[in-house]
């Protein structure tokens, strides 16, 4: 039996999301009794995420997810970006960020506005997810000063780990894949998935391997460990692979 455990994370829930795709994913996960993390954008201004007209009942939908036991995460504030050198980020995936590079007070103001939007709708997000994985130390300090959120869905490791007085649940996969051990968050973007991909996802998640090893965020937090040898080696290998892939893509 595999010692690996898996979490599903759904990114970019917002008032203008692709309702048909989200409804299909919601039905799939509900049928399999999978309780995902949902990254909700409090006040979306990213025009690339305007798939439908603004849903005036969106926040009722978020409340329904919460009632089902889904974990609601604050996904930044407006999901808009400024340019930044990725070397300045804690997780150097992209040259853009909504938060990193801004001073502490600017970041605190954005986080506070986003958190207040949830509170105004009677929802208390339990997790923080920065758009594009892009944050720095000021982001973490502002988050701790402005909100009670102490869990971040991000990071590269084999298990949840404590850092900066926060708990990080690593996010390392963008599609379900076999792993021998560890806790693995699979990040999906329903808005950009095809219905064929959703059907394929259903087949994968219905397989015995994944159906027996899906967990909730509560279960994941019980698996916390300090960063050990395996996580350090995995982190090194992950970034080596990521850089190699970037180079290959650049020179094609």
């Amino acid at each position: 039996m595999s010692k690996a455990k898996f979490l599903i994370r759904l990114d970019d829930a917002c008032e203008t999301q692709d309702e048909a795709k989200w409804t299909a994913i919601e039905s799939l996960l509900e049928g399999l009794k999978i309780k995902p993390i949902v990254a909700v954008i409090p006040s979306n201004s990213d025009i690339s995420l305007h798939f439908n007209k603004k849903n005036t009942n969106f926040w009722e939908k978020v409340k329904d997810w919460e009632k089902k036991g889904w974990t609601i995460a604050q996904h930044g504030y407006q999901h808009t970006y400024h340019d930044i050198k990725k070397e300045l980020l804690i997780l150097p995936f992209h040259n853009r960020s909504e938060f990193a590079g801004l001073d502490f007070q600017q970041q605190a103001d954005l986080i506070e506005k986003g958190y207040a939007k949830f509170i105004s709708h009677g929802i208390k997000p339990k997790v923080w997810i920065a758009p594009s994985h892009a944050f720095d130390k000021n982001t973490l300090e502002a988050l701790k000063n402005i909100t009670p959120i102490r869990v971040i869905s991000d990071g590269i490791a084999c298990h949840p780990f404590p850092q900066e007085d926060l708990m990080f649940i690593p996010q390392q996969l963008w599609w379900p894949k076999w792993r021998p051990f560890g806790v693995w968050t699979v990040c999906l973007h329903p808005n950009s998935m095809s219905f064929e991909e959703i059907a394929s996802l259903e087949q994968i998640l219905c397989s015995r391997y994944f159906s027996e090893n899906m967990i909730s965020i509560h279960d994941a937090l019980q698996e916390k460990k300090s960063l050990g040898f395996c996580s350090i080696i995995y982190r090194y290998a992950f970034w080596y692979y990521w850089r190699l892939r970037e180079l290959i893509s650049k020179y094609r």
Side-chain angles (χ1 to χ4, degrees):
M1 183 178 176
S2 171
K3 294 182 180 179
K5 302 296 179 185
F6 297 88
L7 280 163
I8 297 293
R9 188 178 109 183
L10 307 177
D11 272 20
D12 299 339
C14 61
E15 293 166 313
T16 55
Q17 67 190 19
D18 189 320
E19 288 295 343
K21 305 270 186 69
W22 276 87
T23 297
I25 289 285
E26 182 173 358
S27 177
L28 188 166
L29 298 183
E30 190 171 16
L32 295 175
K33 296 183 171 55
I34 293 173
K35 300 184 187 303
I37 303 168
V38 189
V40 178
I41 304 168
S43 187
N44 178 53
S45 294
D46 184 346
I47 59 173
S48 72
L49 296 176
H50 287 191
F51 294 93
N52 290 136
K53 291 182 179 179
K54 185 175 180 179
N55 180 1
T56 57
N57 294 317
F58 173 73
W59 288 99
E60 290 303 315
K61 180 184 287 287
V62 178
K63 282 185 180 179
D64 288 341
W65 289 338
E66 191 175 49
K67 289 174 184 176
K68 290 179 183 179
W70 293 20
T71 298
I72 306 304
Q74 180 176 340
H75 193 31
Y77 174 42
Q78 294 182 314
H79 208 274
T80 53
Y81 298 104
H82 56 264
D83 293 334
I84 188 171
K85 291 182 179 179
K86 61 185 175 185
E87 290 77 17
L88 300 177
L89 302 172
I90 291 176
L91 297 172
F93 281 102
H94 306 289
N95 291 309
R96 62 178 185 262
S97 179
E98 183 175 15
F99 296 91
L102 303 179
D103 64 33
F104 171 85
Q105 192 56 53
Q106 287 175 304
Q107 295 202 44
D109 289 345
L110 293 175
I111 290 171
E112 184 173 29
K113 287 176 182 177
Y115 189 77
K117 187 71 176 284
F118 284 94
I119 297 302
S120 72
H121 291 284
I123 298 163
K124 292 183 179 179
K126 303 294 193 299
V127 176
W128 167 263
I129 297 173
S132 292
H133 313 271
F135 58 94
D136 58 17
K137 285 198 171 184
N138 274 339
T139 318
L140 302 182
E141 288 304 313
L143 183 71
K144 289 187 289 186
N145 275 268
I146 297 300
T147 79
I149 296 173
R150 294 297 180 268
V151 178
I152 294 178
S153 171
D154 226 328
I156 305 301
C158 297
H159 294 88
F161 61 93
Q163 188 171 307
E164 304 284 344
D165 297 320
L166 296 162
M167 184 59 63
F168 287 76
I169 299 178
Q171 191 273 294
Q172 324 92 319
L173 297 175
W174 287 263
W175 194 251
K177 296 180 181 179
W178 180 89
R179 289 294 183 264
F181 61 86
V183 176
W184 306 87
T185 302
V186 181
C187 179
L188 303 171
H189 293 77
N191 292 313
S192 58
M193 292 175 72
S194 67
F195 285 104
E196 289 77 14
E197 286 174 320
I198 294 172
S200 177
L201 176 68
E202 182 172 17
Q203 286 188 321
I204 292 170
L205 296 182
C206 283
S207 69
R208 183 175 178 182
Y209 174 74
F210 284 104
S211 64
E212 290 182 350
N213 292 296
M214 300 302 302
I215 60 174
S216 68
I217 195 169
H218 174 77
D219 300 321
L221 290 170
Q222 308 310 308
E223 302 283 337
K224 65 181 179 181
K225 295 183 180 181
S226 297
L227 285 174
F229 178 76
C230 287
S231 284
I232 291 170
I233 293 298
Y234 172 73
R235 183 177 287 184
Y236 177 82
F238 178 94
W239 288 115
Y240 179 83
Y241 169 77
W242 185 267
R243 295 288 174 258
L244 183 62
R245 193 176 72 167
E246 282 186 324
L247 284 171
I248 292 172
S249 176
K250 182 178 179 180
Y251 292 106
R252 272 181 177 173

